[in-house]
């Protein structure tokens, strides 16, 4: 069964940067579009970025556009999320997941399967 492990979270000051990674194991993720999501305390889980199978297409939530970059290295079975100019409101647990084959460019959690356990990102001064 496909499993994801997210790494790279931590505590960072506003304006700082972090790089998250999402490593796949158990089954090839090369044929799956991948999404990054986050869940802040008291809020619903929201999609922040999506990347196609080849990596040639990406999509971002308006709240992170211009600050976050999603990329993938299929040879390493890993998807990355580079986060720059971090804000307090970027705080949350960040998850990656595989998009259902019946979906396309969705940032809705219901379109995804095989969730990782998440990594905590805290933006604080």
């Amino acid at each position: 069964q496909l499993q994801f492990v997210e790494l790279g979270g931590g505590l960072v000051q506003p304006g700082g940067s972090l790089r998250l990674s999402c490593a796949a194991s158990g089954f090839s993720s090369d044929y799956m579009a991948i999404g990054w999501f986050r869940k802040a305390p008291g809020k619903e889980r929201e999609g922040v970025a999506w990347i196609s199978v080849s990596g040639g297409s990406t999509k971002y939530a308006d709240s992170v556009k211009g600050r976050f970059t999603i990329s993938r290295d299929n040879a390493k079975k890993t998807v990355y999320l580079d986060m720059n100019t971090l804000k307090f409101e970027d705080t949350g647990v960040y998850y990656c997941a595989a998009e259902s084959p019946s979906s396309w460019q969705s940032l809705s959690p219901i379109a995804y399967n095989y969730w990782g356990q998440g990594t905590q990102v805290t933006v604080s001064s």
Side-chain angles (χ1 to χ4, degrees), residues 60-115:
Y60 299 92
D62 289 342
S63 58
V64 307
K65 203 171 292 183
R67 299 188 298 121
F68 289 12
T69 302
I70 188 171
S71 61
R72 67 191 296 165
D73 184 338
N74 285 342
K76 295 183 178 179
K77 301 186 185 303
T78 300
V79 175
Y80 303 97
L81 186 68
D82 289 295
M83 307 187 295
N84 298 306
T85 319
L86 283 162
K87 304 177 180 180
F88 293 119
E89 52 264 42
D90 293 319
T91 294
V93 179
Y94 282 70
Y95 304 86
C96 63
E99 187 179 30
S100 168
S102 61
S103 178
W104 173 248
Q105 282 196 339
S106 175
L107 290 178
S108 171
I110 63 174
Y112 286 77
N113 303 303
Y114 305 112
W115 293 85

Side-chain angles (χ1 to χ4, degrees), residues 26-49:
F27 189 78
S28 177
S29 62
D30 294 1
Y31 306 104
M32 298 179 179
I34 304 295
W36 277 101
F37 296 79
R38 67 187 179 193
K39 188 178 185 314
K43 293 188 177 181
E44 302 266 330
R45 188 175 302 195
E46 64 168 336
V48 297

